[in-house]
Each structure stands twice: as C-alpha cells, then as structure tokens.
Amino acid sequence: MSFGKELKRVAESKGFETQQQLADASGVSQQMVARLYLDQRPNVSAAILFKLCRALGVGCAHFEAYLSAEDESNSSAPSAKAVAAKPKPAKKPKKR
C-alpha cells in the first residue's frame, strides 16, 4: 500500500468524508491533500506530515513504513528522508 492510499484509509476511518474536511482540520490545502492521496507529491515535508497526523490523531510514526518502503509501482512515492531527516547542528566557529 502506498502513502497516499494509507493516508486516505486513515482519514476515512477517522470520519473525514472529503479531502476538504481533512484540509480544514489540518491546515493543509485541499489541493495538497488531493496530491497526497494520489501519490503525486514526492518528499512529504515533516511540517505537512505533522499537521495531517495531528488532525488524524495518529503519530507520525504510523506512516513511517509507507514513507520508507520502496514502492516499485510508483517511483514518486514520498521519501522517508524528507520526514526522518534531522537538521545538522550548526558548526561552531574555529578559534584562532
């Protein structure tokens, strides 16, 4: 199963009947929700994923397998790196 299909499945199981309802609850645009449902949005940002998960009442870890799995049928599947990547700490200036 792809990220988009799982997102749609979870949303419907939580009572979201339309993309617009999920968009309104999450603060993500309806167009973005539509693109995610169709797996047309590679590299889901952590901010978008967090907003969707908060609206759905699930932890972001729920989608980890769908973001890290290689889906041969859809080469534009979201990358786990976009969600799991942690910012690198700033380099300290060298003392002279």
Side-chain angles (χ1 to χ4, degrees):
M1 184 177 289
S2 69
F3 171 78
K5 288 179 182 175
E6 178 62 6
L7 177 63
K8 183 176 180 180
R9 186 195 71 74
V10 171
E12 289 174 349
S13 75
K14 298 289 184 170
F16 293 98
E17 296 176 2
T18 66
Q19 294 172 0
Q20 189 62 55
Q21 288 175 332
L22 179 56
D24 291 343
S26 66
V28 174
S29 73
Q30 183 274 326
Q31 293 84 3
M32 178 61 72
V33 173
R35 292 178 70 196
L36 291 170
Y37 276 13
L38 296 172
D39 290 312
Q40 294 178 344
R41 176 72 163 84
N43 301 320
V44 177
S45 74
I48 289 173
L49 182 62
F50 180 75
K51 288 178 180 182
L52 291 168
C53 289
R54 186 175 55 205
L56 294 170
V58 298
C60 292
H62 174 86
F63 292 103
E64 184 177 359
Y66 301 97
L67 295 171
S68 61
E70 291 295 327
D71 184 355
E72 294 177 17
S73 66
N74 185 357
S75 61
S76 66
S79 167
K81 291 179 183 177
V83 174
K86 294 181 182 177
K88 294 180 181 179
K91 292 183 180 179
K92 295 179 181 178
K94 293 180 181 179
K95 294 182 180 178
R96 292 186 181 180

